[in-house]
Amino acid sequence: MRSFLHSPICLMLVFCLSFSLHAQQEMTSDELFQKARTEAFDNDNYPEAIRLSRLALEKSPDYTDIRIFLGRLYTWSDQPELARQEFEEVLAKNPGHEDGSFAYGSLEYWNDQSDKALQIVNNGLEVHPKSQNLLLLKAKVLKDLKRFPEANTTVNQLLKINPKLTEARSLLQSIKNVSANNEIGIDYEYTYFDKRFEDPWHLAGIDYSRATKIGTIIGRFNYGNRFTNSGSQFIVEAYPSISETFYAYVSGGVMISGSIFPDFRAGFSLYANLPASFEGEVGFRMLNFGGDNTWIYTASVGKYVSNFWFNLRTYQTPSNDRVSQSYSLTTRYYFGGADDFLSLRLGTGISPDNESNNILYNDGNPYNLKSHNVTLDYRFTVKNSNIFFISGSLQNQEYQQNTRGNQISGSLGYIKRF
């Protein structure tokens, strides 16, 4: 052992280690900071990045960016108490520091301390009221606290600053899906047939939605006139929140009078907010006509890109000898909040969610499911509490083999939010 300690190899190792330590001591704080970032991001070596950052702070104790980075390293290393010490020192010397407030607020949000996170973020916004990072984090925190109206207002404020911020657009839609202010709405749709039916179809509805602790619940009453016959229907829908990632759609409906709506209807979908502003859905719909159930299965994927939202959806309806298929591609261009958009939808087949024509599922002729359609929607808000919408669609449908007809629809509506 003694001979090894005096061997050339041992002396060389000691010399190299001493030289490395001396070289690091001679490096500037900026050079150490850059080396720490390389260790963290390129080599995933957080312990070494922490050591280098601490060495840099010994040289420059007031170097704010390094101290915030060290706090982030502690956060990523699951050492929240050490991270808090660094962030609190930054904010004590620089109250409301933008990056420090964002890093500290993120730490508390990730550690289920949303009340504290909100306080930190609000302090930062007092100094930097247009900080996109702080506004986005505040909206997430408010959503976690189930303070949905405030979260909605915060995201809309952020989108006025940067309308193309995809993550904010996705978050706004997520907030809208799991909760909403109280709303009451009315709408009317008129459908004209050039060949198939002599009389037009009429559909009018009124609905009321209310935010609850589990999500939004909607009650809707429909009145329709088709084939010169009238009928009415009542539907209940809900969007329960399951977690930060998942929420659901649940619906049930019953025909009150007439015979132009399904006797019963039900539906369920599970939605997932996925990374990169994607959203996925799988679910089913059931329509009952005269005791016979028709099961329709649906799946969709959505994606936010700048001011645009794209959604591809399919409905699959199994029968004895075939599967009827329906597809649609929807593109929305948002020029404001979640209710300010222009939408174009191209599709084939019919939708069980469309009360104006899902009665066609009651027809045993499979050719009735063959159609091509295009729909244009325009929706906008006035003073945040008034929502107006207008829609027009053209559907070319094969209602007998090799015989087609056009179905032209127009609708308009109004929603009051309170």
Side-chain angles (χ1 to χ4, degrees):
M1 181 66 176
R2 185 177 224 174
S3 60
F4 173 75
L5 293 175
H6 290 84
S7 67
I9 295 177
C10 180
L11 293 175
M12 182 62 72
L13 291 173
V14 172
F15 173 77
C16 290
L17 180 60
S18 300
F19 179 79
S20 176
L21 292 173
H22 177 73
Q24 290 183 5
Q25 291 172 353
E26 292 301 316
M27 294 174 68
T28 66
S29 54
D30 281 320
E31 291 170 335
L32 288 166
F33 185 22
Q34 185 58 46
K35 188 173 178 60
R37 290 175 63 86
T38 299
E39 289 295 332
F41 299 132
D42 295 347
N43 302 327
D44 293 327
N45 189 349
Y46 293 154
E48 179 62 11
I50 289 172
R51 189 185 71 80
L52 292 169
S53 297
R54 293 180 64 86
L55 187 58
L57 285 173
E58 289 178 7
K59 293 176 175 290
S60 304
D62 295 326
Y63 201 142
T64 301
D65 288 346
I66 298 178
R67 194 167 297 280
I68 293 173
F69 181 65
L70 178 59
R72 285 193 167 108
L73 289 171
Y74 284 136
T75 300
W76 301 333
S77 302
D78 197 23
Q79 301 180 70
E81 288 303 323
L82 292 176
R84 289 186 179 100
Q85 292 177 18
E86 303 301 332
F87 294 142
E88 287 172 0
E89 184 169 342
V90 168
L91 296 179
K93 295 179 180 179
N94 304 277
H97 188 279
E98 182 177 5
D99 197 30
S101 298
F102 177 70
Y104 195 5
S106 298
L107 167 70
E108 299 300 355
Y109 171 63
W110 293 333
N111 283 274
D112 299 322
Q113 300 295 321
S114 289
D115 285 314
K116 186 175 181 181
L118 183 60
Q119 180 182 356
I120 295 167
V121 171
N122 281 336
N123 290 339
L125 285 170
E126 288 182 4
V127 183
H128 305 279
K130 294 186 177 181
S131 170
Q132 296 182 36
N133 283 335
L134 290 176
L135 285 170
L136 185 61
L137 178 58
K138 179 179 179 178
K140 292 178 180 179
V141 170
L142 288 169
K143 180 174 180 283
D144 185 59
L145 292 171
K146 301 189 184 303
R147 292 163 60 172
F148 299 119
E150 295 173 74
N152 186 78
T153 300
T154 301
V155 182
N156 279 311
Q157 180 184 351
L158 175 56
L159 286 170
K160 289 180 181 179
I161 298 172
N162 184 359
K164 296 183 178 181
L165 190 58
T166 301
E167 188 175 1
R169 183 75 59 193
S170 178
L171 177 61
L172 184 62
Q173 189 63 43
S174 174
I175 294 170
K176 183 176 183 294
N177 286 337
V178 299
S179 69
N181 296 320
N182 294 335
E183 296 178 352
I184 186 167
I186 57 173
D187 56 81
Y188 167 75
E189 182 176 57
Y190 175 91
T191 302
Y192 164 79
F193 299 87
D194 65 346
K195 293 181 181 180
R196 190 176 183 188
F197 303 114
E198 294 184 358
D199 298 304
W201 287 3
H202 305 270
L203 178 67
I206 183 170
D207 59 74
Y208 171 72
S209 67
R210 180 177 177 83
T212 71
K213 293 182 178 180
I214 63 171
T216 300
I217 299 177
I218 305 167
R220 178 175 177 82
F221 174 81
N222 288 321
Y223 171 82
N225 183 283
R226 300 172 188 143
F227 318 113
T228 68
N229 295 317
S230 298
S232 58
Q233 175 191 50
F234 181 71
I235 299 173
V236 176
E237 299 175 310
Y239 290 87
S241 177
I242 300 173
S243 69
E244 281 292 304
T245 301
F246 296 101
Y247 69 95
Y249 164 77
V250 183
S251 72
V254 59
M255 181 177 64
I256 300 174
S257 64
S259 58
I260 62 174
F261 293 106
D263 294 345
F264 302 99
R265 57 158 294 175
F268 174 84
S269 283
L270 179 65
Y271 291 86
N273 295 309
L274 304 174
S277 300
F278 277 96
E279 181 182 68
E281 174 206 358
V282 292
F284 71 87
R285 309 289 186 264
M286 187 278 290
L287 304 176
N288 179 281
F289 299 96
D292 295 326
N293 294 332
T294 299
W295 292 88
I296 306 103
Y297 301 93
T298 186
S300 71
V301 59
K303 166 70 173 175
Y304 286 91
V305 180
S306 186
N307 288 44
F308 291 90
W309 176 71
F310 300 94
N311 180 269
L312 181 63
R313 174 181 292 279
T314 181
Y315 291 104
Q316 304 286 317
T317 309
S319 62
N320 293 332
D321 56 352
R322 59 171 290 173
V323 176
S324 297
Q325 300 177 345
S326 171
Y327 299 94
S328 65
L329 174 64
T330 302
T331 302
R332 287 181 185 171
Y333 174 75
Y334 287 93
F335 51 87
D339 291 301
D340 296 283
F341 60 80
L342 183 66
S343 173
L344 175 66
R345 183 172 65 253
L346 304 175
T348 64
I350 62 175
S351 165
D353 294 324
N354 187 345
E355 297 300 335
S356 67
N357 64 7
N358 63 15
I359 187 68
L360 298 177
Y361 277 99
N362 191 33
D363 195 326
N365 188 343
Y367 287 100
N368 280 330
L369 300 182
K370 288 188 175 182
S371 67
H372 302 283
N373 54 79
V374 57
T375 303
L376 187 65
D377 296 300
Y378 177 56
R379 180 178 293 230
F380 63 96
T381 59
V382 177
K383 296 183 178 180
N384 293 323
S385 63
N386 301 281
I387 304 169
F388 298 88
F389 57 91
I390 184 170
S391 175
S393 68
L394 171 64
Q395 180 166 298
N396 181 262
Q397 185 161 307
E398 185 179 22
Y399 57 92
Q400 292 179 358
Q401 191 167 3
N402 300 320
T403 303
R404 291 182 173 273
N406 292 316
Q407 175 180 330
I408 303 172
S409 299
S411 63
L412 51 85
Y414 168 73
I415 299 171
K416 177 63 178 179
R417 181 178 292 145
F418 58 95

